[in-house]
Amino acid sequence: MTNKQLIDQIRLKQSFLCIGLDVDINKIPKHLLVEEDPIFAFNKAIIDATNHLCVAYKPNTAFYEAHGLKGWKSLEKTIQYLNTHYPEQFTIADAKRGDIGNTSSMYAKAFFEDLGFDSVTIAPYMGKDSVEPFLAFEDKHTILLALTSNEGAYDFQTQIVDGMELYKKVLTTSKTYKNAKNLMYVVGATKATYLTDIRKIIPDSFLLVPGVGAQGGSLSEVCKYGMTKDVGLLVNSSRGIIYASTGTDFAEVARVKAEELQEQMAAELKKV
Amino acid sequence: MTNKQLIDQIRLKQSFLCIGLDVDINKIPKHLLVEEDPIFAFNKAIIDATNHLCVAYKPNTAFYEAHGLKGWKSLEKTIQYLNTHYPEQFTIADAKRGDIGNTSSMYAKAFFEDLGFDSVTIAPYMGKDSVEPFLAFEDKHTILLALTSNEGAYDFQTQIVDGMELYKKVLTTSKTYKNAKNLMYVVGATKATYLTDIRKIIPDSFLLVPGVGAQGGSLSEVCKYGMTKDVGLLVNSSRGIIYASTGTDFAEVARVKAEELQEQMAAELKKV
């Protein structure tokens, strides 16, 4: 999917919502446990109920890997379901990978070619040759961790390097990578005011913003400091939507929660 | 596996060799392609031929994930084979994971409990709460990326932060994490002279050292600067051993290559 196609979807749906499919078997409604693949059944119901309200889905691969082969199968079925029934959705493998060149190439192949995701999240610690194998894929997107929404972000990401915080060094350096146009960045919503500085370095790049809702970030702050003329934002919500009800009405309640966010987003989009 | 058990194995075998099972279907001997699971068949043959010469095996998970479900199955069979037939081997899931707390817990469960690895490699970028869920597992080891052997290492890892290179900041900060005794570190052999400084920060921790052989590092340099009284080193070789021959004699040639390294290691161990 190209940036333009993503922006068109955002305009059409009046939404820049990404729904995180961080599906924990212990948190899904009990009545689904009789299904052959409860996690896929859960995802399918959530996707069918919410797809008109969001532009992206982001399964966190850890939640699938935790179930070994069975979990990997659920992930595969989920991405196949999305690509078959809702090809207009931007899909993100939240995998936070990164390794030396030939190994990153294997990961890129796994997520982009075999699974068919539009994008994958990448940790920047190993630098250029760990990121460029992902960037080499045409019309695929590499979402680099810059400033994450967890407390540990202060351990290294906000430390001063070369006159700037490490996450800014990551932004600055990554712009020099080959095919940098395919980069997006993770920037946590819990630090929305940082977005002013971030936009000075990467004025146009798409930002994937976790941490709105359950983690305490504010949507209007994120938009105030981070939105561009082409929107440039994907705001993720996981737990606040998918676990809003643990009853048989879970998909319907998820739809209501997604709609609340979509309406707030539509209001924000009117401002640009 | 405890540190003591690992050290005992090193003394017994006179080896601190780790063999990297970075198995690429395009590089394994053609005659294996008729097997039901060529990658597992390859691993089994390599393990059977070399286990008396090494103390650890390190499958890089990317190479397995690149084959989707089938690849995950090969990984599962490989670790099960090791745990059943060679339980004295220290097993490393070279996965380079790291995510926010609840997600890291899922990864820890996947690699330590479900797959039964002794250790997993972790990227430090997201800090404390991304690492501690792994450290919480008793008798399991978390191998944190410090200084990697690739060129991109210079992008961020060697940048000065708080008066020291970022990788030293990672070493220093990680020592304050809960259960830090379960930490080991990745330090690339291509930068062996850095080991003097590293040993000032972490005098006793085990280091996993990639980059000897194919990537150009020197074993004697690594030992000179990095070895402790309890050895404190696991030196990894992947391609130099497992792809030394692409004929039907691949396992035998791998054994010869592993033996060459083991003999050099035995000589180094005599010096401490």
Side-chain angles (χ1 to χ4, degrees):
Chain A
M1 183 180 286
T2 64
N3 270 4
K4 187 185 174 304
Q5 287 169 322
L6 176 57
I7 296 163
D8 287 348
Q9 281 297 310
I10 292 172
R11 297 284 182 205
L12 180 73
K13 291 179 173 166
Q14 289 291 292
S15 170
F16 43 95
L17 178 62
C18 171
I19 297 182
L21 299 172
D22 304 356
V23 183
D24 183 340
I25 190 92
N26 300 311
K27 289 189 185 160
I28 68 175
K30 296 288 166 276
H31 73 278
L32 291 178
L33 299 180
V34 298
E35 299 278 341
E36 194 200 328
D37 184 341
I39 289 179
F40 174 66
F42 179 83
N43 284 348
K44 183 178 175 302
I46 293 281
I47 292 165
D48 288 339
T50 59
N51 68 85
H52 58 297
L53 301 165
C54 68
V55 293
Y57 286 99
K58 178 176 75 66
N60 187 316
T61 55
F63 288 76
Y64 300 85
E65 287 178 40
H67 299 286
L69 274 181
K70 243 173 82 179
W72 203 258
K73 184 84 198 159
S74 304
L75 179 64
E76 209 172 86
K77 282 161 74 178
T78 301
I79 181 68
Q80 278 167 4
Y81 187 74
L82 281 165
N83 283 341
T84 307
H85 296 272
Y86 306 103
E88 73 283 5
Q89 290 287 339
F90 184 71
T91 54
I92 304 169
D94 193 3
K96 301 187 177 70
R97 299 296 197 266
D99 207 311
I100 60 170
N102 69 327
T103 310
S104 271
S105 297
M106 302 299 278
Y107 279 128
K109 183 185 171 302
F111 289 110
F112 291 153
E113 286 187 353
D114 300 347
L115 288 169
F117 277 96
D118 291 314
S119 66
V120 59
T121 58
I122 302 296
Y125 192 72
M126 294 181 70
K128 179 175 169 134
D129 54 313
S130 71
V131 181
E132 288 188 340
F134 292 94
L135 294 175
F137 283 75
E138 206 50 44
D139 292 339
K140 299 286 185 179
H141 301 265
T142 303
I143 310 179
L144 205 58
L145 300 186
L147 185 61
T148 57
S149 56
N150 64 320
E151 213 184 302
Y154 297 102
D155 275 6
F156 309 115
Q157 296 167 25
T158 55
Q159 297 284 328
I160 304 298
V161 151
D162 205 10
M164 64 187 97
E165 288 93 343
L166 176 59
Y167 74 89
K168 290 185 189 167
K169 180 78 183 167
V170 167
L171 298 175
T172 308
T173 303
S174 66
K175 282 172 69 179
T176 68
Y177 294 168
K178 197 175 173 188
N179 295 316
K181 65 174 173 49
N182 295 335
L183 279 170
M184 298 182 175
Y185 298 92
V186 172
V187 177
T190 46
K191 299 161 188 96
T193 52
Y194 288 48
L195 284 166
T196 308
D197 282 355
I198 290 171
R199 279 301 181 203
K200 285 179 193 156
I201 307 172
I202 43 161
D204 303 316
S205 303
F206 257 94
L207 305 181
L208 172 62
V209 185
V212 164
Q215 293 177 56
S218 144
L219 179 67
S220 62
E221 293 259 297
V222 168
C223 294
K224 184 174 168 187
Y225 298 109
M227 197 176 274
T228 69
K229 66 174 174 22
D230 281 329
V231 189
L233 294 174
L234 288 171
V235 168
N236 184 74
S237 178
S238 303
R239 287 167 277 175
I241 292 176
I242 67 174
Y243 300 139
S245 162
T246 54
T248 51
D249 63 348
F250 72 99
E252 171 58 17
V253 177
R255 187 191 63 71
V256 171
K257 292 290 172 188
E259 200 160 52
E260 283 170 21
L261 276 169
Q262 183 272 321
E263 283 167 6
Q264 290 172 44
M265 289 176 176
E268 295 293 340
L269 286 170
K270 285 207 177 71
K271 298 179 190 169
V272 289
Chain B
M1 182 180 287
T2 64
N3 269 4
K4 188 184 173 306
Q5 289 169 321
L6 176 57
I7 296 162
D8 287 348
Q9 281 296 310
I10 292 172
R11 296 285 182 205
L12 181 71
K13 290 179 172 166
Q14 290 290 291
S15 170
F16 42 97
L17 177 62
C18 171
I19 297 181
L21 299 172
D22 304 356
V23 182
D24 184 341
I25 191 90
N26 299 311
K27 288 189 186 159
I28 68 175
K30 296 289 167 276
H31 72 278
L32 291 178
L33 299 180
V34 300
E35 299 279 341
E36 193 199 328
D37 184 342
I39 289 179
F40 174 67
F42 179 83
N43 283 349
K44 182 178 174 302
I46 292 281
I47 293 165
D48 287 340
T50 59
N51 69 84
H52 58 297
L53 301 165
C54 68
V55 294
Y57 286 99
K58 178 176 75 66
N60 187 316
T61 55
F63 288 77
Y64 300 84
E65 287 179 39
H67 300 285
L69 274 181
K70 244 172 81 178
W72 203 258
K73 185 82 197 161
S74 304
L75 179 64
E76 209 172 86
K77 281 161 75 178
T78 301
I79 181 70
Q80 278 168 3
Y81 187 73
L82 281 165
N83 284 341
T84 307
H85 297 273
Y86 307 103
E88 73 282 4
Q89 290 287 340
F90 184 72
T91 53
I92 304 169
D94 193 3
K96 301 189 177 70
R97 298 297 197 266
D99 208 310
I100 60 170
N102 69 326
T103 310
S104 272
S105 296
M106 301 300 278
Y107 278 128
K109 183 184 170 303
F111 288 109
F112 291 153
E113 286 187 354
D114 300 346
L115 289 169
F117 276 96
D118 291 314
S119 66
V120 60
T121 57
I122 302 296
Y125 192 72
M126 293 181 70
K128 181 175 169 135
D129 55 314
S130 70
V131 181
E132 287 188 341
F134 292 93
L135 294 175
F137 283 75
E138 205 51 44
D139 292 338
K140 299 285 185 179
H141 301 265
T142 303
I143 311 180
L144 204 58
L145 300 185
L147 185 60
T148 56
S149 56
N150 64 320
E151 211 184 303
Y154 296 102
D155 275 6
F156 309 116
Q157 297 168 25
T158 55
Q159 297 284 329
I160 303 298
V161 149
D162 206 9
M164 64 187 96
E165 288 93 343
L166 176 59
Y167 75 88
K168 290 185 188 167
K169 181 77 183 168
V170 167
L171 298 175
T172 308
T173 302
S174 66
K175 283 172 70 180
T176 67
Y177 294 168
K178 196 173 175 190
N179 295 315
K181 65 174 174 51
N182 296 335
L183 279 170
M184 298 182 175
Y185 298 92
V186 171
V187 178
T190 46
K191 300 159 188 96
T193 52
Y194 288 49
L195 284 166
T196 308
D197 282 355
I198 289 170
R199 280 299 181 205
K200 286 179 192 155
I201 306 172
I202 44 160
D204 302 316
S205 304
F206 258 93
L207 306 181
L208 172 62
V209 185
V212 163
Q215 293 177 56
S218 145
L219 179 67
S220 63
E221 293 259 298
V222 168
C223 294
K224 183 174 169 188
Y225 299 109
M227 198 176 273
T228 70
K229 66 173 173 25
D230 281 330
V231 190
L233 294 174
L234 288 171
V235 168
N236 183 73
S237 178
S238 302
R239 287 167 275 175
I241 293 175
I242 67 174
Y243 300 139
S245 161
T246 54
T248 51
D249 63 348
F250 72 100
E252 172 58 16
V253 178
R255 187 192 62 70
V256 171
K257 292 290 172 188
E259 201 161 52
E260 284 171 21
L261 275 169
Q262 183 273 320
E263 283 167 6
Q264 291 173 43
M265 288 177 177
E268 294 292 340
L269 286 169
K270 284 206 179 71
K271 298 179 190 169
V272 289

